[in-house]
Amino acid sequence: MKLAFISDIHANLEALESVLADIDSKEIDDIYCLGDVVGYGANPNECVEIVSKRCKSVLLGNHDAVATGLLTTQHFNVHARIAIEWTAGELTSENKKFLAAQPLAKTVDDFTMVHATPYQPGMWYYITSLEEAYFNFQSFDTRICLVGHTHIPMIIALDEEEIYVHQDKSISFDERENLRLLINIGSVGQPRDRHPESSYGILDTGEKKFSLYRVPYDIAKTQSKMKKIKMPDFLVNRLAEGR
Ligand code: ZN
C-alpha cells in the first residue's frame, strides 16, 4: 500500500489542490489528513469539503478545535486569533460539525497519527528537540508515528537507544528491525522551514519506505485572496518566505 499524509492545510486551497494533483500522479491507495484544515487562509469551507471527500481519515488540529468552539483562543498569538475569528464566522455549520467530530489521534496497522504529540495530544505540545522526541517515543506503541503542528518536516529515528534526525528526505526501514520513526510531515498550506513549497509524505508499507515531498503552488494567488479578506500582512507575507 502507498499511503499519503497531509497536514496543516490552513485553508490554503491553491496549496491543497497542488499537493493532491501531485499525490494523484503517484498511484496512492489512501490519503490521511493530520489536522489543521483551517485557520490563516481564505478558503476554509472548500478545504474542509475536499479533505472530507478525499481523505480516508482526518484528525482534529488545534486551529480546527478553536474554529469550531472546542478550544479557546487563549494560546493563540494576535495574528492567529484574527484569522481564526474570521474562519469561525465563515465556516458553514455542516463543516464545523465535520471538523469537531474528528479524533485527536488514530492508529492504523503499524502507524500512529496525531496532530501535535502522541503524549497527551489534546495539550497541543510541540516537539522542538530530540529530548522531547525521545520522550514522545514512549507514548506510542507502533513502529511509526506521524505528526504535524510545527510545520517543519523532519524524520526522527530511534535505533535502540540512539536518537537522531535523519538528514535525507527518504528512509528505508526494511532491514533495521529495531528502528522506529517519529515523522513530522510538514505543512501543505503554511511551511515554516524557510522553504515556501508545500510539504507532505508518502509511506510505502510494502517497500517499508517513507519519503517527504515538496510541491510548488501559486503563492501569489493565495496571498491576493488573503489580502482581500484583510488577513494580517504578517500572515500573507510569511507564505512567500516559508517561515
Ligand atoms: Zn498548523
Side-chain angles (χ1 to χ4, degrees):
M1 292 264 275
K2 272 170 87 178
L3 310 171
F5 298 87
I6 60 175
S7 189
D8 296 275
I9 294 142
H10 287 294
N12 184 337
L13 181 62
E14 291 69 36
L16 177 60
E17 286 176 337
S18 296
V19 165
L20 288 174
D22 199 63
I23 288 172
D24 288 341
S25 73
K26 290 188 163 75
E27 291 174 28
I28 296 300
D29 295 292
D30 290 317
I31 307 171
Y32 291 96
C33 175
L34 273 50
D36 273 2
V37 180
V38 303
Y40 301 134
N43 294 100
N45 286 309
E46 292 84 348
C47 289
V48 172
E49 284 151 22
I50 291 170
V51 161
S52 65
K53 274 192 206 98
R54 297 290 317 269
C55 296
K56 182 145 191 202
S57 71
V58 180
L59 298 181
L60 181 75
N62 53 320
H63 287 255
D64 306 325
V66 174
T68 55
L70 292 172
L71 198 66
T72 69
T73 55
Q74 192 191 343
H75 297 290
F76 273 22
N77 64 40
V78 60
H79 306 296
R81 193 171 306 158
I82 291 168
I84 214 69
E85 280 164 5
W86 177 86
T87 304
E90 192 72 7
L91 278 172
T92 65
S93 57
E94 199 176 319
N95 287 335
K96 277 187 185 174
K97 212 188 273 176
F98 173 82
L99 289 174
Q102 305 312 313
L104 287 167
K106 191 177 172 82
T107 296
V108 177
D109 300 328
D110 203 20
F111 60 91
T112 299
M113 297 173 281
V114 60
H115 182 70
T117 54
Y119 173 73
Q120 298 192 350
M123 294 301 290
W124 313 108
Y125 294 128
Y126 292 87
I127 297 171
T128 56
S129 68
L130 284 179
E131 286 78 13
E132 286 161 355
Y134 184 81
F135 175 76
N136 271 280
F137 268 105
Q138 325 304 318
S139 294
F140 62 96
D141 298 323
T142 52
R143 189 167 188 191
I144 300 168
C145 180
L146 300 132
V147 303
H149 200 40
T150 65
H151 300 204
I152 296 174
M154 192 175 289
I155 299 175
I156 298 172
L158 179 67
D159 199 348
E160 302 284 349
E161 285 303 300
E162 190 199 352
I163 187 164
Y164 56 92
V165 176
H166 181 75
Q167 296 298 340
D168 202 6
K169 295 287 168 210
S170 270
I171 186 162
S172 293
F173 47 94
D174 192 14
E175 271 135 47
R176 295 149 78 187
E177 257 175 46
N178 295 314
L179 192 74
R180 296 178 73 212
L181 301 170
L182 179 56
I183 299 168
N184 193 310
I185 58 171
S187 170
V188 169
Q190 195 199 76
R192 292 180 190 162
D193 59 338
R194 302 266 166 193
H195 187 334
E197 293 183 350
S198 298
S199 177
Y200 78 98
I202 292 177
L203 174 66
D204 189 322
T205 59
E207 281 196 23
K208 297 210 188 304
K209 185 178 175 186
F210 180 90
S211 303
L212 289 165
Y213 291 91
R214 301 306 285 250
V215 183
Y217 72 94
D218 190 344
I219 294 174
K221 187 174 175 188
T222 301
Q223 288 177 315
S224 79
K225 284 185 186 174
M226 289 171 76
K227 275 187 194 149
K228 218 174 265 176
I229 57 166
K230 298 190 168 53
M231 279 295 160
D233 285 341
F234 170 73
L235 295 178
V236 176
N237 295 336
R238 73 188 302 178
L239 291 181
E241 295 156 26
R243 65 177 176 93

